[in-house]
């Protein structure tokens, strides 16, 4: 299977471990990644609210690039998934917005025809590749590891842009993969709630409290680690975890894994290859639990 | 069909206490919510019955002391919002069939609001927040004598999304920002703020926009779509908040982190095609805002130590001119 | 309860729906110190469920006289024409005032208010906001009430009115949050507590519509009038009884029988589906009785209207059909049947919202001026609430200036103590007593069967006997909740008492009127009989004796009664 690969900005910036582990997992799965090197940032929703037409054009460009490649557009960031799905929905359903975007893109030599499907790696794993094809690739079962899924907002809401009305089961894929790799999924209220990232510059303490609360809840329910499909969530939950702990006056000390890192471990890649030694919150304890070292 | 409904009961001190096992304490951010006693009821109702039908049945035939607010039974009065399996919903339009998980439906007053009794929460925070946005028309002068203001139907249709709000409170009940910050105005109040701000007949647009741009206003929303998800009437409060943000920025209320954040973000995308995380935070906080800058130093240091600090020289994508031209053409504020 | 709580106001309004809030606003604007008491938060009031619109003769080519005639004809000539004239003349002013309050009425291309067609109206004069007009108006009024800083006692349940020397001087209310009784002492009380739909089962009405104010006034000695005039709405959703707005028919929906025929063409050749509600309800009942129904319903068909009209102008009912019956109106017709919807009758008032009892006023559905007579036109109720709410507020504010002596604190304390004992004795009944829910269901079912669309003497007398029996059983209804805070078992029991009083007055009046007029159809007296019955039936409660029946002539100004054809 081949996909037009949109890695987003953060996996090339503050979360290089996501990019690297994605490559490894794709290699194992035989998933050909045709990276869109010239695609622009999706705007993370921040820009869409101030200038929708601008983001229709920028995201339209990314969508048109995928169209040219002739494959589904794969994201590895919930935020990219959410924003691109949002703009894609409107470009596909609102002819005025599509024609306005294409007018702007004409100068760049691109025209979006509305045929691209945007899919997060999480969905591709379950829907396109299928758990049965992934199972034989698992060399190292993560038995005994209690893993709390943290979806984050933009891969779940709003439902209509993300195909969740047609496929409500998309809100269970993390648990399915956790179980596939031999782990035990931890059920907790915060798994679908916000990590606080969108507000971290506007109200730092409250934003950090949000994410911190969710990790603490999962920890109290026995989680050894959280796994998330969004690098922005990862930044708030991992990079900011020490500060979140300070705000909440609690020791959190719970590692946050990216989705491809979890899979990568199960596939037999080493923790170093997956850059699990390059987190702010140490992953050592969790890895030791499944007899892995970093 | 037999349905199993687990009801979170609570009685204030001094009143007869519900019988049964007390449930666990709520953890942050709901640590102020009192513990509840969860009682299990089995009711016989048709396949298409709603959770409210079950609660009314329990109240009428099994336990008359169960307190539930309800009136219209059809998602108009907004009385019956509460937690159904941990998410805020109107129980009058929640099908038992759809919400039975692992053989049961769990209903309780949301722990995010103070509680009165059983399924009746204290909606005072909700009403106070609504009140504080001055939700009434401040008539633009002159008021037409003996006839209506002339306004296009489109301007009225623009407001109908918010006017569909039935004040059920579900959005506030499940608002994550409100959960960690009790002073946040919240989705419903801000949506109502938009309704009056965007009404062409209102005279106080600028006053309103200034107020809502301040702390606990539009920029304290964490943009998570939870309110859009739980709203039973399609009000999409977040969408109203975003429209309010744009109105505020366009009106010049830009001296806030939210606007600086958007400007810094746009600048980065325009110049390089990608987000420069390194400069985003400092620029959003305001380069002269030393205390705020200092606050972020530990995190920056941690990133550095973990080898996650983004490159100091931010790379541009190939053919970045393409992006610059798009900004030049329709970038408006971000040109 | 340690010390008696007596709170003073000039005017107390009972009920915070459209009529109540409009009355409060007007009283405040006229210098009175006002408070509103409501057993639910104001925005939960049933006014919010009104869907279709509000009438006014504003458009060119329309006139208040035409509106008045349509209303009077619709009422089957039982409406008092002087009051109708006032309502129709003042309607345009009230609509404009609403618009200035911020209501987002639908507009035409020129930016002026636009209309839709509605039942019984010879010209389109219904102003609307999607299919949520009542909600839009309710919030506009509530927002204005907030702006005016008016005091609202929300979730306070009124248990009785305070009568002193034949005048109303306040009300006793139960603060449901604290569980204490308080006396609201006032120079004027405006009852605006809405209708009594829950006396019938099924009904379009919310569970809170239990005729509280009608019964409170009735018990205080105010006469109730036209109580036999109970409106059945032709299009209520099968099963639940939820309202499917008349606006659907206003936008062009059809009513079909099981043969797919538009049967209204036979019953009302001119107005067809938009004939007045009693005519349509009777037509549907006949079709169903003749075996041409579908599951004891008829079909409301909107398919030909298209997505644009349905989703933009009737989104709420589209949603409701999906939610409650899993039917998409764009693809399939919806089964509907006549369901009890509105009471034309109520507390007798003049056109100034004054009852014959000094200090007591009434407005809105709970009042009977009468502007609706034997049958109410759609979109006239919202108008009624605003016009007479306004009159009530203004008159109450003016009248209180003349009130000099008020009853003393000790008189108030005695009253509170007596009311406390009464309520306590209700709570102290043996827990093995009757169930309020069971009695309520029995009442509702018997009313629908015997005092519904078609009535006859035997059925009505049987209904009265059953109601009397229920009233006896009511004396042993137990309150199986010993809480102070939010004791709904107590308030439901109190409501049941109110409902029984309303039901009794309705049946007494229905037995008395030996003719058919408007919504009151006697199979044993199928003709309208102006010679004998061009009058209102009043029922007044008497202590220790059967209620007294009296008559009031209908006020005729311009329009002589004619045969009513649609």
């Amino acid at each position: 299977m081949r996909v037009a690969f949109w890695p987003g900005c953060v996996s090339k910036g503050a979360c290089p471990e996501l990019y690297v582990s994605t490559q490894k997992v794709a290699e194992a799965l035989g998933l050909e990644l045709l990276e869109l090197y010239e695609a622009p940032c999706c705007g993370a929703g921040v820009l869409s609210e101030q200038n929708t037409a601008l983001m229709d054009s920028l995201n339209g460009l990314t969508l048109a690039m995928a169209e040219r490649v002739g494959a589904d557009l794969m994201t590895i960031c919930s935020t990219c998934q959410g924003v691109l799905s949002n703009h894609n929905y409107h470009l596909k359903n609102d002819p005025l917005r599509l024609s306005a975007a294409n007018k702007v893109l004409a100068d760049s030599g691109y025209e979006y025809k509305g045929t691209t499907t945007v899919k997060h790696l999480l969905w591709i794993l379950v829907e396109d590749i299928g758990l049965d094809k992934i199972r034989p690739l698992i060399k190292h079962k993560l038995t005994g590891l209690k893993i709390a899924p943290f979806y984050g907002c933009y891969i779940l809401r709003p439902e209509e842009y993300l195909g969740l009305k047609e496929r409500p089961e998309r809100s269970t894929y993390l648990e399915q993969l956790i179980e596939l790799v031999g782990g035990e999924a931890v059920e907790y209220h915060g798994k679908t709630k916000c990590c606080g990232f969108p507000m971290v510059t506007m109200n730092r303490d409250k934003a950090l409290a949000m994410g911190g609360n969710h990790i603490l809840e999962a920890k109290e329910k026995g989680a050894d680690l959280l796994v998330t499909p969004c690098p922005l969530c990862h930044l708030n939950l991992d990079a900011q975890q020490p500060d979140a702990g300070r705000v909440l006056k609690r020791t959190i000390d719970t590692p946050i894994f990216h989705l491809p890192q979890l899979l990568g471990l199960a596939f037999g890649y080493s923790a170093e290859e997956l850059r699990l030694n390059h987190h702010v919150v140490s992953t050592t304890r969790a890895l030791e639990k499944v007899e892995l070292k970093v | 069909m037999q349905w199993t409904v687990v009801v979170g009961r609570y009685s204030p001190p001094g009143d007869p206490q519900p019988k049964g096992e007390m449930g666990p304490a709520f953890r942050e951010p709901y640590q102020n919510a009192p513990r509840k006693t969860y009682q299990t009821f089995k009711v016989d109702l048709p396949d298409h019955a709603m959770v409210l039908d079950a609660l009314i049945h329990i109240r009428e035939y099994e336990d008359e002391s169960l307190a539930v607010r309800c009136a219209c039974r059809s998602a108009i009065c907004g009385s019956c919002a509460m937690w159904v399996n941990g998410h805020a919903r109107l129980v009058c339009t929640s099908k038992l069939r759809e919400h039975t998980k692992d053989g049961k439906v769990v209903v309780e007053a949301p722990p995010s609001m103070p509680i009165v009794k059983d399924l009746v929460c204290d909606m005072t925070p909700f009403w106070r927040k609504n009140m504080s946005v001055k939700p009434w028309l401040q008539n633009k002068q002159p008021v037409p004598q003996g006839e209506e203001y002339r306004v296009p139907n489109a301007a009225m249709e623009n407001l109908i999304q918010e006017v569909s709000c039935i004040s059920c409170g579900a959005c506030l009940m499940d608002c994550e920002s409100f959960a960690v910050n009790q002073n946040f105005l919240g989705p419903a109040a801000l949506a109502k703020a938009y309704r009056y701000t965007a009404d062409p007949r209102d005279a106080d647009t600028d006053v309103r926009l200034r107020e809502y741009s301040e702390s606990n206003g539009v920029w304290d929303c964490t943009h998570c779509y939870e309110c859009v998800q739980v709203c039973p009437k399609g009000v999409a409060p977040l969408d109203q908040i975003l429209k309010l943000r744009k109105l505020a920025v366009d009106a010049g209320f830009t001296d806030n982190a939210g606007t600086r954040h958007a400007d810094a973000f746009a600048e980065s995308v325009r110049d390089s095609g990608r987000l420069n995380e390194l400069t985003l935070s400092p620029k959003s906080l305001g380069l002269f805002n030393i205390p705020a800058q200092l606050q972020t130093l530990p995190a920056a240091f941690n990133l550095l130590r973990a080898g996650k600090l983004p490159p100091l020289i931010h790379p541009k994508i190939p053919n970045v001119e393409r992006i610059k031209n798009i900004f030049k053409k329709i970038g408006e504020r971000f040109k | 309860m340690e010390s008696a709580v007596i709170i003073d106001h000039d005017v107390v309004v009972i009920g915070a729906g459209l009529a109540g809030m409009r009355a409060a606003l007007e009283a405040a604007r006229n210098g009175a110190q006002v408070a509103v008491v409501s057993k639910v938060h104001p925005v939960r009031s049933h006014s919010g469920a009104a869907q279709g619109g509000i009438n006014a003769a504003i458009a060119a080519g329309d006139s208040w006289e035409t509106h008045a005639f349509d209303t009077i004809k619709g009422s089957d000539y039982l409406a008092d024409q002087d009051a109708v004239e006032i309502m129709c003349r003042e309607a345009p002013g009230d609509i404009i005032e609403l618009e200035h309050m911020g209501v987002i009425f639908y507009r035409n291309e020129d930016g002026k208010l636009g209309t839709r067609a509605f039942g019984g109206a010879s010209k389109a004069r219904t102003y609307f906001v999607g299919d949520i007009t009542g909600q839009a108006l309710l919030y506009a009024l509530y927002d204005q009430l907030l702006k005016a800083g008016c005091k609202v006692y929300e979730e306070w349940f009124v248990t009785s009115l305070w009568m002193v020397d034949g005048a109303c001087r306040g009300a006793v209310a139960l603060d449901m949050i604290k569980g204490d009784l308080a006396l609201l002492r006032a120079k004027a009380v405006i009852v605006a507590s809405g209708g009594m739909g829950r006396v019938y089962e099924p009904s379009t009405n919310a569970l809170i519509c239990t005729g509280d104010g009608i019964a409170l006034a009735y018990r205080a000695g105010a006469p109730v009038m036209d109580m036999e005039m109970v409106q059945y709405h032709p299009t209520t959703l099968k099963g639940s009884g939820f309202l499917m707005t008349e606006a659907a028919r206003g936008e062009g929906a059809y009513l079909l029988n099981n043969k797919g025929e538009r049967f209204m063409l036979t019953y009302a050749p001119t107005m067809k589906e938009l004939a007045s509600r009693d005519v349509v309800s009777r037509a549907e009942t006949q079709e169903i009785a003749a075996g041409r129904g579908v599951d004891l319903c008829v079909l409301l068909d909107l398919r030909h209207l298209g997505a644009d009209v349905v989703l933009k102008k009737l989104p709420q009912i589209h949603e409701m059909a999906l939610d409650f019956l899993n039917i998409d109106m764009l693809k399939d017709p919806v089964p509907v049947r006549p369901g009890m919807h509105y009471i034309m009758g109520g507390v007798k008032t003049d056109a100034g919202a004054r009852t014959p009892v000094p200090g007591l006023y009434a407005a809105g559905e709970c009042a009977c001026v009468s502007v609706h007579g034997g049958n109410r036109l759609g979109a006239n109720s919202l108008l009624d609430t605003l016009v007479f709410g306004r009159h009530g507020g203004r008159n109450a504010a003016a009248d209180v200036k003349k009130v000099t002596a008020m009853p003393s604190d000790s008189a108030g304390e005695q009253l509170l103590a007596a009311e406390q004992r009464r309520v306590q004795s209700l709570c102290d009944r043996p827990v093995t007593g009757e169930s309020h829910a069971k009695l309520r269901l029995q009442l509702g079912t018997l009313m629908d069967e015997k005092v519904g669309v078609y009535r006859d003497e035997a059925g009505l007398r049987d209904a009265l006997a059953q109601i009397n029996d229920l009233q006896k059983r009511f004396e042993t209804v137990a309150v199986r909740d010993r809480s102070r805070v939010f004791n709904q078992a107590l308030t439901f029991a109190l409501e049941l008492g109110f409902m029984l009083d309303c039901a009794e007055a309705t049946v007494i009046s229905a037995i008395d009127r030996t003719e058919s007029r408007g919504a009151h159809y006697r199979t044993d007296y199928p003709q309208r009989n102006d010679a004998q019955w061009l009058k209102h039936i009043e029922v007044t409660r008497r202590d220790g004796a059967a209620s007294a029946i009296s008559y009031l002539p209908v006020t005729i100004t311009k329009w002589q009664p004619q045969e009513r054809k649609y």
Side-chain angles (χ1 to χ4, degrees), chain C residues 3 11 16 43 46 56 93 128 147 185 197 214 241 269 333 354 373 390 410 434 438 461 482 484 492 509 521 561:
Chain C
S3 60
V11 178
V43 305
H46 200 47
F128 63 100
K147 189 177 183 183
R185 184 167 50 192
I214 299 175
R354 292 184 177 92
R390 180 165 45 79
S410 69
E434 290 270 13
K438 289 209 182 92
R461 290 215 178 271
R482 312 217 56 82
R484 272 174 82 87
F492 292 155
S509 310
Y521 193 97

Side-chain angles (χ1 to χ4, degrees), chain A residues 14 17 38-39 41 49-51 153-154 157 159 189 193 199 203 206 213-214 216-217 220 278, chain B residues 27-28 86 174 176 180 220 222-224 226 229 242 245-246 273-274 277 306 308 319 322 329-330:
Chain A
E17 69 277 7
E38 302 183 14
C41 172
E49 76 206 33
Q50 292 296 330
N51 190 335
C153 314
Y154 298 142
R157 300 184 287 273
E159 285 185 334
H189 180 77
K193 304 293 263 183
M199 247 176 57
N203 194 333
K206 298 303 180 189
N213 282 335
H214 299 317
L216 284 170
E217 190 200 348
E220 259 151 53
H278 285 287
Chain B
R27 56 165 332 282
E28 285 86 349
D174 275 8
E176 194 64 11
V180 295
D220 272 69
T222 196
H223 210 301
C224 71
E226 194 73 54
Q229 180 80 359
L242 297 182
R245 282 184 181 180
K246 176 151 170 70
R274 298 287 159 92
E277 297 125 307
K308 278 160 71 73
N319 279 315
R322 207 188 262 145
K329 230 181 165 170
I330 54 170

Side-chain angles (χ1 to χ4, degrees), chain B residues 69 71 95 149 167 195-196, chain C residues 102 107 139 143 155 207 323:
Chain B
R69 277 199 187 108
K95 293 196 169 70
Y149 286 91
S167 301
R195 176 258 179 280
Y196 281 107
Chain C
R107 311 279 175 158
Y139 272 88
D143 292 347
E155 292 184 318
L207 299 173
D323 267 335

Side-chain angles (χ1 to χ4, degrees), chain C residues 407-428:
Chain C
S408 65
D409 281 1
S410 69
E413 281 157 24
Q414 273 177 30
L415 174 82
L416 267 175
E419 190 69 349
Q420 179 63 36
R421 280 191 300 272
R422 179 177 84 94
V423 169
Q424 193 58 49
S425 72
L426 177 56
C427 292
D428 287 342

